[in-house]
Amino acid sequence: MRTYRLERPEIVLTQAPVPEPGPGEILVRVHAAALNKRDLLILDGAYSLPARPGVIPLSDGAGEVVAAGPGVTRFRAGDRVMGSYWPRWHDGRLRPELVDQPGCTLDGMLTEYALLDEQAAVAVPEHLGWAEAATLPCAALTAWTSLTAGGALLPGRTVVTLGTGGVSLFAVQFARLAGCRVIVTTSRTEHSDRLKALGADHVIDYTATPQWGGRVRELTGGRGADLVVDTAGPATIDQSVRAAGLYGEVVVLITRDAARDHLAISHEAYASSLATLRRVFVGNRTDLEDMCAAVAAAGLRPVIDRTFTDVPDAYRHYREGSPFGKVVIEL
């Protein structure tokens, strides 16, 4: 089979025998895999979790079960599945002994055939194609838990999302499904119509309005947002806090910022509300199953920027192309 390995500074195509599933394992013919920000950090040697040398990259992928090992009961040949971002975290809280991740410390999904523990797989919503399904395990689930893990997000509440990356676009879609008002900040004003078609009520150009936290308050009649999903961290945290309502929440999804090595919130912003800062780290398998049920019930379709068959081209476009939505590799 064709399989890719991490050999910094490159992803290298290799040949390997098709593995056989052992007890409790399923063999999946992978049809599509998707890139996330963490995959660039892993390639650059900048990720917080050290990657295993020669590991198969990418946490996200979807495919068809072609064989099942002894004792498997959750799936059978022909089932359509995706892998979980945290193969050993099935429910409850994340614990240190569960932190292994595919594409980093465990082999990932950038391969023709992948071995998965049956407990680490989740059924693909029936209406989705392979490329669409491959986008769900990391970005979509991060957006889902950002919106749901803090408690019930009721219809009529205001959600703010930042930018046009995968997590942000899923957050727009999920917030709209929940009946929320959605405000998006972006520098790419040419995408305003596309954002509004996804469910955004207002789009703020943060280059023209760098103090966009104040603009959020204006749009909400001074009340502020109930939830801000901050995907930029160091560059935006002060404005996110300013945008949040008195008892709002700011979900901080920290990404590496070469210009800043810490989060800085001004005293003025901190004193302006009683907002809560919350962290999420994707989500567990039960969260993924709950999210997939919602995706299926709503007929939601992920936003795909482009699909590739050439792996270096896909990585290059993801790094340099400012994609609107997800970048997917078809295998």
Side-chain angles (χ1 to χ4, degrees):
M1 67 176 182
R2 290 179 297 114
T3 191
Y4 293 84
R5 298 281 178 180
L6 175 64
E7 301 290 349
R8 293 195 187 99
E10 298 177 331
I11 305 296
V12 178
L13 174 62
T14 65
Q15 296 288 325
V18 176
E20 295 186 6
E25 293 181 328
I26 55 175
L27 179 65
V28 178
R29 171 61 175 96
V30 181
H31 290 286
L35 283 157
N36 294 289
K37 286 182 181 179
R38 52 86 82 171
D39 299 309
L40 295 183
L41 294 174
I42 290 171
L43 180 60
D44 296 340
Y47 194 52
S48 55
L49 196 63
R52 195 185 77 214
V55 73
I56 298 173
L58 305 192
S59 60
D60 289 12
E64 179 182 357
V65 177
V66 294
V72 169
T73 58
R74 283 171 50 84
F75 300 101
R76 60 184 180 183
D79 286 346
R80 302 168 74 240
V81 300
M82 69 186 81
S84 177
Y85 186 89
W86 301 100
R88 296 177 182 143
W89 183 23
H90 303 152
D91 205 348
R93 291 188 169 186
L94 183 61
R95 305 189 305 277
E97 65 269 24
L98 306 177
V99 298
D100 279 326
Q101 298 174 17
C104 185
T105 59
L106 303 173
D107 281 338
M109 302 297 284
L110 194 56
T111 179
E112 279 191 282
Y113 291 89
L115 274 181
L116 300 179
D117 188 297
E118 68 164 335
Q119 300 298 329
V122 170
V124 168
E126 291 184 3
H127 71 289
L128 297 182
W130 294 121
E132 294 171 316
T135 69
L136 298 180
C138 180
L141 186 56
T142 299
W144 175 262
T145 55
S146 294
L147 267 64
T148 63
L153 191 63
L154 301 176
R157 300 289 173 87
T158 298
V159 174
V160 175
T161 69
L162 280 55
T164 56
V167 173
S168 295
L169 296 186
F170 277 118
V172 172
Q173 291 176 287
F174 289 141
R176 175 54 65 190
L177 286 182
C180 295
R181 184 185 192 190
V182 185
I183 301 172
V184 181
T185 71
T186 181
S187 62
R188 303 172 69 186
T189 54
E190 69 274 17
H191 289 148
S192 291
D193 289 343
R194 296 180 69 182
L195 288 165
K196 290 178 179 178
L198 282 178
D201 295 282
H202 301 281
V203 178
I204 301 172
D205 178 358
Y206 66 77
T207 56
T209 311
Q211 302 299 313
W212 52 263
R215 179 58 179 153
V216 170
R217 287 192 168 271
E218 290 176 7
L219 291 170
T220 56
R223 213 177 141 263
D226 297 285
L227 176 67
V228 181
V229 181
D230 187 323
T231 52
T236 53
I237 186 63
D238 194 77
Q239 288 302 309
S240 292
V241 172
R242 291 173 185 270
L246 182 60
Y247 285 98
E249 280 191 328
V250 180
V251 177
V252 186
L253 305 172
I254 296 176
T255 58
R256 189 173 292 267
D257 187 330
R260 302 174 176 87
D261 62 359
H262 60 278
L263 293 175
I265 303 172
S266 66
H267 175 75
E268 182 184 1
Y270 183 73
S272 68
S273 78
L274 299 174
T276 299
L277 270 62
R278 176 162 58 88
R279 288 289 318 276
V280 302
F281 203 157
V282 191
N284 57 47
R285 192 198 74 197
T286 300
D287 295 326
L288 183 58
E289 290 170 330
D290 290 343
M291 184 201 74
C292 285
V295 168
L300 183 146
R301 291 198 174 276
V303 179
I304 295 177
D305 179 80
R306 283 185 61 183
T307 60
F308 291 83
T309 56
D310 184 272
V311 170
D313 283 351
Y315 269 82
R316 190 176 304 111
H317 177 72
Y318 187 66
R319 188 189 294 274
E320 302 172 2
S322 298
F324 184 94
K326 297 294 292 180
V327 174
V328 177
I329 299 167
E330 295 179 324
L331 295 156

